[in-house]
Every structure is written in structure tokens, then in C-alpha cells.
Amino acid sequence: MKVTVIGAGYVGLSTGLVLASLGNKVYFVDVDKEKLESLKEGKPPFYEPHVEDLLKRTLKEKRVIFTTDYSEAIPLSDVVFICVGTPLRVSGEADTRQVMSAVRDISKHLGGKTVSIVIKSTVPVGTAREVEKQINKDHYGNFIVLSNPEFLREGHAIEDTFKPDRIVIGANDKKAIEHLIKLYDPIIKQTFKRVISDRLDREIPVVVTTNESAELIKYAANAFLATKISFINEIANIAENVGADITDVAFGIGLDPRIGNLFLKAGLGWGGSCFPKDLKALHQMVGNSGYLPGLLKAVIKVNDEQRFRFLQKIVKVFGDGLRNKKIAVLGIAFKAGTDDLRNSPGVEIVKQLVSLGAKISIYDPLALENARKTLPESVGLCDSIEKAVEKTDAIIITTEAQEFKTMNLEKLGKLVREKIIFDGRNIISNPKGWDYWGVGR
Ligand code: UDX
């Protein structure tokens, strides 16, 4: 099939590259010329496993085209995916202006054949209807609007696109639903050629529902996962007060299949581009409808406070102040396996420590380049754990990077000035000889 993807970010690029590798022709439309130029040369705009490989391969096969021009893509396409950003407005609502602007541009180029317009961006409930109204107003052609939310995780984007837990399709047109299912057939049946990823030995469930339910499924999924994390962080804070160990508590409750052991890791709380934005947008959306979302409010509050509780712990240990204390921060991305710094607890902690007069050196396996653009000039960036910890008064761990889990504390102990570790992700199991501070243990 011929497919257009509007927006070449994490979701758009992963979706489009996987569809291209399944044999489709994919037109990527984006407003960012610089980004398109580097994509044409096979260079992805962010770190994500397999993206560069797939990009180079599909470019070579001439299956992907990058353009700013809708007229080059829409008239040729049967399916158009909208994958643009929906950032937060100051009011806390999701900003759908990029979606609506893409829709206006799409509608200008709709012709005689019926086109499926598939919304993948995370949008407030009711957006698909708005999109339908907008195009009907312009009245340029035949189209069906489908909602098809995306659940991929950064750091696993390609893997998750080839092997999603489910595919959710919201629409009220049987033919358009069948058409989209046909496009996804090699993924649903796991019959794709093994390009990068092993296949699953089962089919992927497809949930067919209304546009509104599909839109809400995405928000509800993120809200539930964020709730699990805030819950375990709250229990971690209780564990600290009563002398329990949260790692054992989480293991003990996670064995109950009704609870499950995933997303029960206590630490600095959730960050990234999705949870913070989507939780706030859902909270605002529900509030606007006249219902007071007490649980969501508490989930956000626990998370907002979690990183500051950790910071307070650090401040308390250095009773005589942090001025001129040299501190190594290991991990600056919002989680391991990505170079994304959006809503990163590590960034916030570093900024606070700098304002308290501490001297910071940082190491992150992937995010140093982005760190330079975000952090104050005074923060030192190091290309190894060893360089970062040299002559420091404390080490702070903010992500679960494999390198941090396996670092040799005995060796590092000889490089530091003081043997103090603040472990924001509870990844150190044997801190013998170190003054150790975790979360909830
Ligand atoms: C998330 C959702 O998982 C994905 O389905 C959705 O499409 C986008 O948002 P992502 O933002 O890539 O994906 O990160 P994820 O791996 O889910 O982690 C989210 C945050 O929660 C991270 O900050 C992570 O460190 C934190 N986390 C996760 C915990 O603190 N504890 C856990 O047990 C799990």
C-alpha cells in the first residue's frame, strides 16, 4: 500500500519505517526541513535502537520518501497517519493545533478515492469527531477518520511496533477498519520477514471500538501505569518510615497475578514525553467535563514530590550545605536506553544541586550531547563513569542503565573522595563499605 506519515518523531518514524520494511511505500511529511535532510542521508534525529538500520535499508530500497509537501504524498496515499505532537498548553490541556493544521493540509489534497485518516497522536477524546467536522467543512473529498493510538516505549520503539501488545482501532466504518487491519496483517499474524526482530508465536489481539473509546484507551493505559509507579513510590515512602525494604515489598505483592510485578519499581518517579503530558491532559480533560479526578490528581502529586524528597535526602546528608561539594550524577536521560531528557528527574536534581552551589559532573551512556544543550555550562560532562566520579563527595544514580548496575564499587571507591551513594533507582544490591541511600529501603 501507499502510506503517508505526518510527523517524523518517535511514533511517526517508527510506524513508517516498520510499514516500509513490510513492503509498503511510505511518504513522510514534516515541517522540519533540517530533520528531513538528515533523514534523507540516513541519519535519525534521535537515538533509538534499529531506527538507523531500518532507515538506511528502506532508503536503499526506495520505499521511503521525505518531503515537506503534502501534494507530493496525499494524492498517492490510501492511508494517512497523523503522528504530530500534542504538547501541553499552559492551561494543562493537550494542544491539538498541530493535528488540526495537518488535517487542513491533508484535506486540500483529498481527491476522488476514499482515504483513511488515522490519528496516532495522543489526542483528547472527541478529537476524531473534530477532525471529521473540520474536513467536512472544507469539503474536499472522501475520507474516514480512524483512531489508532500508539503504545510504544522509547528505547524499544521498533521492537514494540513489530510486536505490540495489542492494536486498538476506533472507527465506525467497517471497510476502513478492514483496510487498516490489512495493512497491519503481517504484524497481527506475526508473518513479517525477520528483519530485526524475532516473531512472536501468537497473533496480536485487535481491539475494534469507537473513536472515543480508542482515544480514552490510550490515556487510561498511561494513567494506569503511572498510577502503579506512584503507588509503589508512596509505599516506598511508608517503607522508609517503618523500616521495611520496598524491593521485597514490591516482589511480595507482585507475585499476585492480579497485581503483577511490572511497573512496580520505586525510585525517582516517572518522566519522559508521555506520562507527564498525558496525565496532566487527562486530568484537565476530565476536570473540564465536570468530574473531579481525585485519584489522577494524587498520582501526579506523588510523582512531582518524589524527586524532591530524594533531593531533600541528599541535602540532609550534607548537613553543612552543598557549596563546593563535588557530586557525580550517573544518568541524565529520563530513563535508561534513551537520549531523551524531557521531564527527566535527573535534570531537575542537577539544576537544584547547581543552585545550591554543588559542582556536578555527569555521565550518561547516550544522552551527553543533549545534556550539553539543556544543562548549565558549569556542569561537567564526562565520557566514562570513572572520570565522572573522580574526587567526588557523592555519587547519585538517576537511571537504570546496565553499566550502573554492574559497576565495580571497589574500584570506584579508590577514585572518590567520600564513599557515599544516592541510588535513585535502587539498582545497587551490595553497597558494602559505602554510605548508601536508596528509595524506600
Ligand atoms: C510510556 C509508555 O510505557 C508507552 O506505552 C507510551 O506509549 C509512552 O509512555 P516511555 O515514556 O517510553 O513509555 O517510558 P516507560 O518505559 O514506560 O517509563 C516511563 C517512566 O516511568 C520512566 O521515567 C521510568 O523510569 C519510570 N518507571 C517505569 C518507574 O519509575 N518505575 C517502573 O517500575 C517503571
Side-chain angles (χ1 to χ4, degrees):
M1 278 188 217
K2 291 204 170 89
V3 170
T4 291
V5 173
I6 317 280
Y10 281 95
V11 170
L13 206 52
S14 309
T15 306
L17 290 176
V18 168
L19 289 174
S21 79
L22 295 176
N24 301 289
K25 179 124 187 173
V26 178
Y27 297 85
F28 288 93
V29 181
D30 199 292
V31 287
D32 186 339
K33 281 191 188 136
E34 216 178 297
K35 190 203 273 183
L36 293 179
E37 283 315 309
S38 79
L39 281 164
K40 280 181 198 167
E41 286 164 23
K43 289 187 215 128
F46 44 76
Y47 169 81
E48 189 61 44
H50 310 305
V51 163
E52 194 167 342
D53 274 7
L54 275 190
L55 176 62
K56 290 203 163 122
R57 198 183 302 222
T58 50
L59 273 169
K60 206 166 142 206
E61 292 166 357
K62 296 197 176 11
R63 292 201 180 283
V64 288
I65 285 154
F66 296 95
T67 176
T68 53
D69 187 357
Y70 282 73
S71 72
E72 222 183 286
I74 306 296
L76 301 172
S77 299
D78 314 295
V79 181
V80 179
F81 286 96
I82 299 181
C83 304
V84 295
T86 49
L88 269 192
R89 285 174 186 263
V90 185
S91 62
E93 282 157 314
D95 185 345
T96 56
R97 277 179 295 184
Q98 290 180 49
V99 174
M100 298 316 278
S101 148
V103 164
R104 281 189 293 274
D105 284 327
I106 294 166
S107 68
K108 282 182 204 149
H109 302 285
L110 292 174
K113 66 177 176 180
T114 303
V115 175
S116 294
I117 299 177
V118 185
I119 306 177
K120 259 201 179 295
S121 306
T122 302
V123 290
V125 177
T127 302
R129 294 276 164 256
E130 284 295 312
V131 167
E132 217 166 71
K133 261 197 240 158
Q134 173 71 45
I135 309 183
N136 272 327
K137 207 168 86 196
D138 297 342
H139 216 273
Y140 283 109
N142 299 322
F143 66 93
I144 307 289
V145 179
L146 300 99
S147 307
N148 174 217
E150 181 51 62
F151 302 97
L152 61 79
R153 297 159 300 165
E154 285 183 28
H156 302 266
I158 295 297
E159 194 80 13
D160 286 352
T161 309
F162 272 116
K163 293 182 283 186
D165 296 317
R166 75 294 211 187
I167 290 175
V168 175
I169 301 175
N172 57 12
D173 185 284
K174 207 167 158 236
K175 236 167 118 183
I177 293 168
E178 278 166 10
H179 196 230
L180 190 56
I181 288 180
K182 197 167 157 213
L183 179 65
Y184 284 138
D185 190 72
I187 293 175
I188 295 169
K189 301 214 174 98
Q190 291 287 294
T191 52
F192 52 82
K193 212 170 80 209
R194 274 174 54 172
V195 192
I196 263 146
S197 186
D198 281 350
R199 292 182 294 240
L200 297 173
D201 53 8
R202 55 176 169 82
E203 278 202 13
I204 306 298
V206 179
V207 179
V208 175
T209 180
T210 60
N211 291 89
E212 288 77 9
S213 299
E215 288 166 337
L216 189 53
I217 284 171
K218 170 66 196 231
Y219 279 111
N222 276 355
F224 188 79
L225 293 171
T227 301
K228 266 188 114 173
I229 302 168
S230 282
F231 173 81
I232 204 65
N233 281 333
E234 181 145 291
I235 300 292
N237 299 336
I238 296 171
E240 278 182 15
N241 286 347
V242 299
D245 186 325
I246 194 62
T247 315
D248 292 346
V249 175
F251 182 65
I253 64 172
L255 288 171
D256 182 333
R258 292 169 301 175
I259 297 174
N261 60 5
L262 299 175
F263 271 66
L264 275 189
K265 284 196 197 114
L268 297 174
W270 33 272
S273 70
C274 287
F275 285 0
K277 167 177 83 71
D278 294 350
L279 266 281
K280 285 193 180 127
L282 178 61
H283 179 261
Q284 189 65 32
M285 187 171 77
V286 179
N288 291 349
S289 76
Y291 175 76
L292 210 64
L295 178 60
L296 289 180
K297 198 173 168 183
V299 168
I300 296 168
K301 186 165 179 278
V302 168
N303 195 63
D304 285 347
E305 288 172 1
Q306 193 65 7
R307 51 193 76 171
F308 289 104
R309 280 178 164 275
F310 191 69
L311 191 70
Q312 275 167 0
K313 213 177 270 180
I314 301 168
V315 172
K316 213 166 147 196
V317 168
F318 290 97
D320 53 349
L322 282 148
R323 184 147 297 281
N324 291 329
K325 292 285 178 213
K326 208 175 163 240
I327 296 181
V329 175
L330 303 184
I332 196 66
F334 84 90
K335 64 171 188 179
T338 179
D339 63 355
D340 194 344
L341 263 58
R342 286 175 289 178
N343 284 300
S344 161
V347 170
E348 238 171 284
I349 287 170
V350 165
K351 285 186 175 165
Q352 292 290 335
L353 290 174
V354 169
S355 75
L356 292 170
K359 293 195 164 24
I360 308 292
S361 50
I362 283 178
Y363 171 70
D364 187 293
L366 298 166
L368 288 179
E369 213 179 304
N370 286 344
R372 187 67 300 155
K373 296 176 209 153
T374 311
L375 296 175
E377 273 296 309
S378 65
V379 171
L381 303 182
C382 307
D383 57 12
S384 72
I385 298 177
E386 288 74 16
K387 283 187 197 155
V389 305
E390 217 178 305
K391 297 199 174 64
T392 50
D393 297 295
I395 296 175
I396 301 176
I397 300 170
T398 77
T399 71
E400 287 185 76
Q402 190 56 29
E403 273 182 71
F404 307 157
K405 286 184 188 165
T406 55
M407 57 194 184
N408 185 335
L409 287 183
E410 210 184 310
K411 237 166 93 187
L412 296 183
K414 297 192 180 106
L415 301 175
V416 297
R417 197 150 53 198
E418 297 286 341
K419 286 167 80 174
I420 305 177
I421 291 188
F422 296 96
D423 180 1
R425 297 288 171 187
N426 289 347
I427 56 174
I428 302 292
S429 50
N430 185 13
K432 216 172 129 220
W434 288 70
D435 196 358
Y436 175 86
W437 303 86
V439 177
R441 6 168 56 177

